[in-house]
Amino acid sequence: MTQDVYPVPQELCDCTLCTDEQYIEQYARSIHDPDGYWGEIAGTFEWFKQPTKIKNTSFHKDDFGIKWFEDGELNITVNCLDRHLKQGRGNKIAYIFEPDSPRYPSGSVTFRELHDRTCQLANALRQLGIQKGDRVAIYMPMIVDAAVSMLACARIGAIHTVIFGGFSAQSIADRVQDAQVKLIITADEGHRGGKHVPLKANVDQALKLPGTNSVETVLVVRNTHAAVNMQMPRDRWFDEVTRNQPVECEPERMNAEDPLFILYTSGSTGKPKGVLHTTGGYMVYAAHTHRMVFDLRDDDVFWCTADIGWITGHSYIVYGPLCNAATTVLFEGIPTYPDVRRTWQIIDRHRVTILYTAPTAIRSLMREGDENVKLSERTSIRLLGSVGEPINPEAWRWYYEVAGDSRSPIVDTWWQTETGGIMISPLPGATALKPGSATRPFFGIKPELVDAEGKTLSGATEGNLVITDSWPGQMRTIYGDPQRFFDTYFSTYPGTYFTGDGARRDEDDYWWITGRVDDVINVSGHRIGTAEVESALVAHPHVAEAAVVGFPHELKGQGLYAYVTLNAEVAESDDLRTELVKLVRTTIGPIATLDVIHWAPGLPKTRSGKIMRRILRKIAEGELGALGDTSTLADPSVVDHLVSTRSAD
Ligand code: 6R9
């Protein structure tokens, strides 16, 4: 445990959106008078009809429901685009585009141009028969047209579901089927780290899989200009359908509680769930957190390195920054291409003032040594951010001292796909920092710790992290499965939202997130459900059974450790090992790369047949002396075997 405290720099105290005193006062108000607090914030946005009802929420079974601003009407793209044009900011740069290869020139798009491109695509989508409520999938590289695609859907009230460009054909098909997607927007190929990603070919393959015939149209952006198969009349070129469209498009009038998007994320059981966010609450929360947590100024150049396929990209590359009229860097590539200096070069080239990235990226840059960083100036940087997984104090200090020259505060932001925006984080002008702590709750957020029985814990202690009341950015349901929504999040500790994370609260009421307490593994900041990996493994004809757990990994935070039981008469071999690793990668995507396969003639199970993951986790972690009670196992000798074969694997 670290006792280091980094106070708020003096110069920030004088020019910040929120001082410590203001935080304490406004936080108290946001908790005691959420209607007053959020009503005021909502009033700073543009609505067709201002909401008069602010909060109407209950986490209890009998009257369960989550509604914010329920009689308000708006279109989020009016707030992201039109509003700024009206205020004379049409020529401000919305996106600075940095291509995968630094040999190509970077580009930029103003709010006016972004508005026009959004309207053109929105008109084209309407012409292709897309209406309010229809689902549109977006499977794109990190290019401006990806943001344009999201905005065009929102313009006409279509519900977008962005599928990360690293996902496989099978993952695309699963999502298309679950959301009954009508149209897909993709590109011929993506560029990533000097390689070409065959996006259109993956879509073609996905649409051959069963359950995908809801798709009527595939729009294809010409990005690398590679030759791709176009299946007429299903496939249409993006530039051809948008080229002659007017640059104005009547925004759809949306109720605040109308869906904005679905984003699939892994849970502890079954297939990924479609997290559904609605329009009004999500907008207010994404924009307000972005402004306050990054202490935003008009001349900031904000760079969030996430992919738009994740919630971080949705909230802090697209909706939050655009609502705040911020200038954002959109980077097509990866931090280590063509070499490890790239991140720092981009910062200098575009005079980035705020860098928001993930601990896994920080650790991999840290490993390359300080010299590579020191070749750059980084004098533009004034604030650093971290998201996606717990940041270890060592990486925190390196980020602070080397990347930030001990000048810029770090906001360690804890939140989730389900929460829509940042939940626990320092505010740079208000909060003294402790390396590794996400510090204090954002306005309106009431975290608590409970023990396994659901008893509320007080004082400095550790437990399961729950949130006891609703906030505007909260997800509203799992698409098509409201019962699963309730069961997953509100039934474990009745009356509260269960995050799936564990946390510690220290003597200063600072929060320290300790990681997932459920069967979700956080690999390089990406959530992977053990159940998904296991079902990919058992699909192999030679595999009888599989159990997957996480284990500490130096770079990725957590790695994937699979125990695999083969069918009788099948021999263990390195070829089979390679085949299984490949199988999981092609079923889910390259983010699901197994680090260890441990052949297990048997798995430790209770007498009722439940796999004892706690024991498997301990073996994977190498904590062989701390296996705990194994007496309830149906066959304790299974554990001895796994322990004795561990190092051999
Ligand atoms: C935004 C995002 C959510 C899970 C979450 C937690 C972990 C995210 C964190 C963090 C410690 C932080 N997590 N931020 N853990 N400190 N600052 O990452 O969403 O992909 O849904 O992941 O990530 O375990 O529950 P998502």
Side-chain angles (χ1 to χ4, degrees), residues 356-379:
Y356 189 33
T357 192
T360 185
I362 298 166
R363 286 191 297 266
S364 70
L365 292 167
M366 176 168 98
R367 193 177 61 164
E368 301 298 337
D370 301 0
E371 290 318 303
N372 289 302
V373 187
K374 290 188 173 143
L375 288 170
S376 63
E377 286 186 8
R378 288 159 289 107
T379 46

mmCIF file of all heavy atoms in Angstrom, residues 356-379:
data_model
loop_
_atom_site.group_PDB
_atom_site.id
_atom_site.type_symbol
_atom_site.label_atom_id
_atom_site.label_comp_id
_atom_site.label_asym_id
_atom_site.label_seq_id
_atom_site.Cartn_x
_atom_site.Cartn_y
_atom_site.Cartn_z
ATOM 1 N N TYR A 356 -5.474 10.454 -22.857
ATOM 2 C CA TYR A 356 -6.322 9.525 -22.100
ATOM 3 C C TYR A 356 -6.065 8.129 -22.659
ATOM 4 O O TYR A 356 -6.420 7.853 -23.805
ATOM 5 C CB TYR A 356 -7.780 9.947 -22.296
ATOM 6 C CG TYR A 356 -8.805 9.251 -21.431
ATOM 7 C CD1 TYR A 356 -8.526 8.825 -20.135
ATOM 8 C CD2 TYR A 356 -10.110 9.064 -21.903
ATOM 9 C CE1 TYR A 356 -9.493 8.222 -19.352
ATOM 10 C CE2 TYR A 356 -11.092 8.469 -21.125
ATOM 11 C CZ TYR A 356 -10.780 8.044 -19.849
ATOM 12 O OH TYR A 356 -11.749 7.444 -19.079
ATOM 13 N N THR A 357 -5.399 7.285 -21.883
ATOM 14 C CA THR A 357 -5.039 5.972 -22.412
ATOM 15 C C THR A 357 -5.193 4.897 -21.336
ATOM 16 O O THR A 357 -5.728 5.156 -20.256
ATOM 17 C CB THR A 357 -3.620 6.015 -23.042
ATOM 18 O OG1 THR A 357 -3.401 4.815 -23.789
ATOM 19 C CG2 THR A 357 -2.529 6.161 -21.991
ATOM 20 N N ALA A 358 -4.736 3.681 -21.647
ATOM 21 C CA ALA A 358 -4.977 2.539 -20.761
ATOM 22 C C ALA A 358 -3.677 2.064 -20.113
ATOM 23 O O ALA A 358 -2.604 2.161 -20.710
ATOM 24 C CB ALA A 358 -5.593 1.401 -21.564
ATOM 25 N N PRO A 359 -3.759 1.512 -18.897
ATOM 26 C CA PRO A 359 -2.568 1.012 -18.219
ATOM 27 C C PRO A 359 -1.756 0.028 -19.062
ATOM 28 O O PRO A 359 -0.524 0.046 -19.013
ATOM 29 C CB PRO A 359 -3.133 0.329 -16.971
ATOM 30 C CG PRO A 359 -4.383 1.073 -16.678
ATOM 31 C CD PRO A 359 -4.958 1.436 -18.027
ATOM 32 N N THR A 360 -2.434 -0.799 -19.843
ATOM 33 C CA THR A 360 -1.690 -1.776 -20.647
ATOM 34 C C THR A 360 -0.781 -1.064 -21.648
ATOM 35 O O THR A 360 0.357 -1.476 -21.875
ATOM 36 C CB THR A 360 -2.665 -2.776 -21.333
ATOM 37 O OG1 THR A 360 -1.911 -3.770 -21.992
ATOM 38 C CG2 THR A 360 -3.591 -2.092 -22.298
ATOM 39 N N ALA A 361 -1.249 0.044 -22.231
ATOM 40 C CA ALA A 361 -0.424 0.821 -23.158
ATOM 41 C C ALA A 361 0.713 1.495 -22.391
ATOM 42 O O ALA A 361 1.855 1.520 -22.845
ATOM 43 C CB ALA A 361 -1.276 1.867 -23.866
ATOM 44 N N ILE A 362 0.398 2.010 -21.216
ATOM 45 C CA ILE A 362 1.421 2.674 -20.400
ATOM 46 C C ILE A 362 2.525 1.680 -20.055
ATOM 47 O O ILE A 362 3.715 1.969 -20.198
ATOM 48 C CB ILE A 362 0.790 3.269 -19.123
ATOM 49 C CG1 ILE A 362 -0.241 4.342 -19.490
ATOM 50 C CG2 ILE A 362 1.872 3.851 -18.197
ATOM 51 C CD1 ILE A 362 -1.155 4.765 -18.348
ATOM 52 N N ARG A 363 2.128 0.474 -19.639
ATOM 53 C CA ARG A 363 3.140 -0.525 -19.272
ATOM 54 C C ARG A 363 3.994 -0.925 -20.461
ATOM 55 O O ARG A 363 5.205 -1.109 -20.331
ATOM 56 C CB ARG A 363 2.464 -1.760 -18.665
ATOM 57 C CG ARG A 363 1.948 -1.538 -17.254
ATOM 58 C CD ARG A 363 1.537 -2.854 -16.618
ATOM 59 N NE ARG A 363 0.438 -3.477 -17.333
ATOM 60 C CZ ARG A 363 -0.852 -3.336 -17.013
ATOM 61 N NH1 ARG A 363 -1.206 -2.600 -15.986
ATOM 62 N NH2 ARG A 363 -1.781 -3.932 -17.717
ATOM 63 N N SER A 364 3.383 -1.030 -21.649
ATOM 64 C CA SER A 364 4.209 -1.465 -22.781
ATOM 65 C C SER A 364 5.140 -0.341 -23.230
ATOM 66 O O SER A 364 6.250 -0.596 -23.677
ATOM 67 C CB SER A 364 3.359 -2.020 -23.924
ATOM 68 O OG SER A 364 2.643 -0.998 -24.530
ATOM 69 N N LEU A 365 4.737 0.916 -23.079
ATOM 70 C CA LEU A 365 5.633 2.023 -23.417
ATOM 71 C C LEU A 365 6.733 2.169 -22.367
ATOM 72 O O LEU A 365 7.884 2.464 -22.685
ATOM 73 C CB LEU A 365 4.840 3.324 -23.551
ATOM 74 C CG LEU A 365 3.883 3.359 -24.751
ATOM 75 C CD1 LEU A 365 2.905 4.527 -24.637
ATOM 76 C CD2 LEU A 365 4.646 3.435 -26.071
ATOM 77 N N MET A 366 6.370 1.912 -21.127
ATOM 78 C CA MET A 366 7.329 1.986 -20.021
ATOM 79 C C MET A 366 8.455 0.971 -20.231
ATOM 80 O O MET A 366 9.623 1.254 -20.005
ATOM 81 C CB MET A 366 6.575 1.696 -18.716
ATOM 82 C CG MET A 366 7.401 1.635 -17.469
ATOM 83 S SD MET A 366 6.311 1.625 -16.014
ATOM 84 C CE MET A 366 6.255 -0.096 -15.643
ATOM 85 N N ARG A 367 8.087 -0.198 -20.726
ATOM 86 C CA ARG A 367 9.060 -1.259 -20.942
ATOM 87 C C ARG A 367 10.135 -0.871 -21.969
ATOM 88 O O ARG A 367 11.239 -1.396 -21.969
ATOM 89 C CB ARG A 367 8.316 -2.512 -21.405
ATOM 90 C CG ARG A 367 9.166 -3.754 -21.371
ATOM 91 C CD ARG A 367 8.384 -4.966 -21.750
ATOM 92 N NE ARG A 367 7.864 -4.856 -23.109
ATOM 93 C CZ ARG A 367 7.398 -5.891 -23.802
ATOM 94 N NH1 ARG A 367 7.368 -7.077 -23.261
ATOM 95 N NH2 ARG A 367 6.932 -5.734 -25.022
ATOM 96 N N GLU A 368 9.770 0.039 -22.860
ATOM 97 C CA GLU A 368 10.700 0.430 -23.921
ATOM 98 C C GLU A 368 11.756 1.419 -23.437
ATOM 99 O O GLU A 368 12.621 1.833 -24.206
ATOM 100 C CB GLU A 368 9.945 1.033 -25.104
ATOM 101 C CG GLU A 368 8.927 0.112 -25.732
ATOM 102 C CD GLU A 368 9.562 -1.147 -26.313
ATOM 103 O OE1 GLU A 368 10.770 -1.103 -26.624
ATOM 104 O OE2 GLU A 368 8.846 -2.161 -26.439
ATOM 105 N N GLY A 369 11.645 1.857 -22.198
ATOM 106 C CA GLY A 369 12.684 2.730 -21.640
ATOM 107 C C GLY A 369 12.358 4.203 -21.809
ATOM 108 O O GLY A 369 11.609 4.599 -22.699
ATOM 109 N N ASP A 370 12.965 5.015 -20.940
ATOM 110 C CA ASP A 370 12.666 6.442 -20.890
ATOM 111 C C ASP A 370 13.217 7.199 -22.092
ATOM 112 O O ASP A 370 12.703 8.253 -22.461
ATOM 113 C CB ASP A 370 13.249 7.062 -19.615
ATOM 114 C CG ASP A 370 12.685 6.407 -18.364
ATOM 115 O OD1 ASP A 370 11.855 5.474 -18.509
ATOM 116 O OD2 ASP A 370 13.070 6.820 -17.262
ATOM 117 N N GLU A 371 14.302 6.651 -22.693
ATOM 118 C CA GLU A 371 14.965 7.389 -23.784
ATOM 119 C C GLU A 371 14.001 7.741 -24.908
ATOM 120 O O GLU A 371 14.006 8.851 -25.430
ATOM 121 C CB GLU A 371 16.137 6.566 -24.345
ATOM 122 C CG GLU A 371 17.302 6.467 -23.387
ATOM 123 C CD GLU A 371 17.589 7.791 -22.704
ATOM 124 O OE1 GLU A 371 17.819 8.771 -23.429
ATOM 125 O OE2 GLU A 371 17.563 7.867 -21.461
ATOM 126 N N ASN A 372 13.173 6.763 -25.262
ATOM 127 C CA ASN A 372 12.233 6.977 -26.367
ATOM 128 C C ASN A 372 11.245 8.102 -26.079
ATOM 129 O O ASN A 372 10.792 8.790 -26.976
ATOM 130 C CB ASN A 372 11.456 5.699 -26.647
ATOM 131 C CG ASN A 372 12.334 4.652 -27.276
ATOM 132 O OD1 ASN A 372 12.912 4.898 -28.318
ATOM 133 N ND2 ASN A 372 12.466 3.515 -26.617
ATOM 134 N N VAL A 373 10.923 8.239 -24.820
ATOM 135 C CA VAL A 373 9.990 9.300 -24.440
ATOM 136 C C VAL A 373 10.716 10.640 -24.478
ATOM 137 O O VAL A 373 10.206 11.632 -25.001
ATOM 138 C CB VAL A 373 9.434 9.049 -23.021
ATOM 139 C CG1 VAL A 373 8.348 10.048 -22.693
ATOM 140 C CG2 VAL A 373 8.925 7.625 -22.896
ATOM 141 N N LYS A 374 11.937 10.628 -23.959
ATOM 142 C CA LYS A 374 12.657 11.896 -23.791
ATOM 143 C C LYS A 374 13.106 12.509 -25.115
ATOM 144 O O LYS A 374 13.520 13.667 -25.147
ATOM 145 C CB LYS A 374 13.817 11.699 -22.828
ATOM 146 C CG LYS A 374 13.257 11.476 -21.418
ATOM 147 C CD LYS A 374 14.296 11.462 -20.333
ATOM 148 C CE LYS A 374 13.617 11.419 -18.970
ATOM 149 N NZ LYS A 374 14.336 10.596 -18.015
ATOM 150 N N LEU A 375 13.017 11.724 -26.194
ATOM 151 C CA LEU A 375 13.309 12.296 -27.507
ATOM 152 C C LEU A 375 12.234 13.289 -27.933
ATOM 153 O O LEU A 375 12.396 14.035 -28.881
ATOM 154 C CB LEU A 375 13.404 11.181 -28.551
ATOM 155 C CG LEU A 375 14.648 10.298 -28.445
ATOM 156 C CD1 LEU A 375 14.521 9.092 -29.352
ATOM 157 C CD2 LEU A 375 15.874 11.119 -28.807
ATOM 158 N N SER A 376 11.094 13.252 -27.242
ATOM 159 C CA SER A 376 10.002 14.165 -27.593
ATOM 160 C C SER A 376 9.922 15.283 -26.562
ATOM 161 O O SER A 376 10.498 15.186 -25.479
ATOM 162 C CB SER A 376 8.682 13.399 -27.622
ATOM 163 O OG SER A 376 8.412 12.901 -26.326
ATOM 164 N N GLU A 377 9.177 16.350 -26.910
ATOM 165 C CA GLU A 377 9.066 17.492 -25.984
ATOM 166 C C GLU A 377 7.956 17.301 -24.954
ATOM 167 O O GLU A 377 8.153 17.511 -23.776
ATOM 168 C CB GLU A 377 8.749 18.762 -26.782
ATOM 169 C CG GLU A 377 9.898 19.313 -27.563
ATOM 170 C CD GLU A 377 9.503 20.647 -28.183
ATOM 171 O OE1 GLU A 377 8.411 21.160 -27.865
ATOM 172 O OE2 GLU A 377 10.278 21.144 -28.990
ATOM 173 N N ARG A 378 6.774 16.976 -25.444
ATOM 174 C CA ARG A 378 5.568 16.793 -24.620
ATOM 175 C C ARG A 378 5.220 18.033 -23.792
ATOM 176 O O ARG A 378 4.561 17.930 -22.773
ATOM 177 C CB ARG A 378 5.701 15.558 -23.704
ATOM 178 C CG ARG A 378 5.610 14.238 -24.428
ATOM 179 C CD ARG A 378 6.227 13.124 -23.647
ATOM 180 N NE ARG A 378 7.681 13.274 -23.621
ATOM 181 C CZ ARG A 378 8.359 13.650 -22.563
ATOM 182 N NH1 ARG A 378 7.761 13.854 -21.431
ATOM 183 N NH2 ARG A 378 9.670 13.821 -22.637
ATOM 184 N N THR A 379 5.663 19.207 -24.228
ATOM 185 C CA THR A 379 5.407 20.413 -23.439
ATOM 186 C C THR A 379 3.942 20.840 -23.506
ATOM 187 O O THR A 379 3.481 21.615 -22.675
ATOM 188 C CB THR A 379 6.273 21.577 -23.943
ATOM 189 O OG1 THR A 379 6.174 21.602 -25.372
ATOM 190 C CG2 THR A 379 7.713 21.409 -23.529
#
